[in-house]
């Protein structure tokens, strides 16, 4: 069962996380919505640091949908090999590029439903691109957001869509995108999967995991 939080408690938790992680923004490097889309596809099961190393070189050579649509998977794979799952990622990046050219006139669409029609783009990727590149409000649920939401007690589910729904019901809409970044940063730098650093966490009193320990 998820814990019940009052609006005031949610506000305090978000304020405390902001104090702990004041620089919570997307850590992927990009210059255009398309570059962000490629970076997010590459970031599945990979660190942002590694993706940034790969895209720094890749985007100097290829950085538009037409560039990638003309590549074969075999040509793209060596550039993205170190991100892991490179076969699927190469296929998805090329297919999404073709979709953008054919269905959206070469521009990355700026709404979640259209983004999700692109090859290899699920709800999480669409939410990240929508919120980071287009300034929309959305809570992308990655592994950190999922773990933190369950540990704190915002929800009780390992289904990303259910977690997103639960979060969107308790977090004010104007804070959805920033909350996504706060939870990611808290998961990366304080509440790691194996060894949560509860001694340096400032939301212990609200955390279900901590209080059960
Ligand atoms: S108290 Fe511990 S488990 Fe709870 S959010 Fe903080 S670091 Fe994570």
């Amino acid at each position: 069962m998820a814990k019940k939080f009052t609006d005031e408690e949610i506000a305090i938790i978000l304020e405390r996380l902001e104090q702990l992680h004041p620089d919570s923004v997307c850590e992927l490097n990009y210059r255009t919505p398309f570059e962000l889309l490629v970076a997010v596809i590459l970031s599945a099961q990979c660190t942002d640091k590694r993706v940034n190393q790969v895209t720094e070189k890749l985007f100097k050579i290829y950085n538009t949908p037409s560039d990638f649509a003309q590549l074969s998977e075999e040509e793209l794979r060596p550039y993205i090999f170190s991100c892991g799952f490179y076969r699927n990622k190469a296929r998805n990046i090329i297919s999404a590029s073709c979709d953008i050219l054919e269905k959206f006139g070469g521009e990355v669409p700026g709404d979640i439903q259209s983004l999700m029609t692109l090859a290899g783009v699920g709800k999480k990727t669409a939410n990240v691109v929508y919120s980071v590149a287009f300034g929309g409000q959305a809570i992308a649920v990655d592994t950190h957001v999922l773990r933190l939401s369950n540990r704190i007690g915002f929800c009780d589910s390992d289904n990303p869509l259910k977690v997103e729904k639960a979060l969107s019901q308790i977090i004010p809409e104007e804070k959805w995108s920033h909350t996504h970044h706060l939870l990611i940063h808290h998961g990366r730098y304080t509440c790691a999967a194996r060894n949560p650093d509860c001694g340096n966490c400032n939301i212990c009193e609200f955390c279900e995991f901590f209080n059960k320990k």
Side-chain angles (χ1 to χ4, degrees):
M1 277 291 286
K3 195 177 152 185
K4 288 255 183 266
F5 289 91
T6 64
D7 292 347
E8 195 187 353
E9 285 174 328
I10 293 289
I12 294 170
I13 290 170
L14 297 183
E15 205 179 294
R16 297 245 184 113
L17 291 178
E18 182 69 41
Q19 286 163 4
L20 205 55
H21 311 287
D23 301 319
S24 296
V25 290
C26 178
E27 292 185 323
L28 292 169
N29 295 335
Y30 69 97
R31 289 166 300 180
T32 64
F34 179 72
E35 286 190 356
L36 178 65
L37 174 65
V38 173
V40 177
I41 291 174
L42 290 175
S43 72
Q45 309 285 322
C46 182
T47 64
D48 287 359
K49 191 175 168 194
R50 167 71 65 188
V51 172
N52 288 338
Q53 287 167 349
V54 165
T55 56
E56 187 184 354
K57 292 179 189 152
L58 179 67
F59 291 158
K60 280 185 183 144
I61 310 168
Y62 310 109
N63 74 340
T64 66
S66 338
D67 291 339
F68 284 95
Q70 287 167 33
L71 287 177
S72 67
E73 290 176 31
E74 289 74 17
E75 286 171 317
L76 179 54
R77 283 176 192 161
Y79 291 97
I80 64 171
F81 176 80
S82 64
C83 290
F85 301 98
Y86 62 97
R87 288 174 188 274
N88 275 347
K89 290 178 182 178
R91 187 178 316 124
N92 286 338
I93 290 169
I94 292 168
S95 301
S97 299
C98 294
D99 285 346
I100 291 168
L101 288 174
E102 286 162 19
K103 300 186 203 163
F104 299 102
E107 299 291 330
V108 175
D111 67 278
I112 291 172
Q113 291 312 321
S114 301
L115 281 162
M116 286 176 66
T117 67
L118 303 175
V121 175
K123 189 68 167 43
K124 185 195 80 172
T125 300
N127 280 5
V128 174
V129 174
Y130 173 68
S131 63
V132 175
F134 296 104
Q137 292 296 342
I139 306 175
V141 177
D142 73 347
T143 179
H144 297 296
V145 175
L146 190 130
R147 182 177 72 256
L148 265 288
S149 301
N150 278 279
R151 275 188 183 163
I152 297 168
F154 289 152
C155 60
D156 181 15
S157 173
D158 57 6
N159 178 320
L161 291 178
K162 287 187 180 167
V163 173
E164 181 184 342
K165 189 173 175 196
L167 290 175
S168 65
Q169 285 169 347
I170 57 173
I171 310 282
E173 185 169 348
E174 69 275 14
K175 294 184 190 271
W176 285 356
S177 296
H178 192 54
T179 299
H180 155 80
H181 293 300
L182 286 174
L183 291 175
I184 286 180
H185 280 243
H186 200 52
R188 271 185 194 151
Y189 304 114
T190 306
C191 190
R194 290 202 183 152
N195 291 309
D197 187 7
C198 302
N200 285 309
C201 179
N202 62 0
I203 58 168
C204 299
E205 70 201 82
F206 301 105
C207 176
E208 199 173 47
F209 178 89
F210 179 83
N211 287 303
K212 273 187 183 166
K213 268 202 301 186

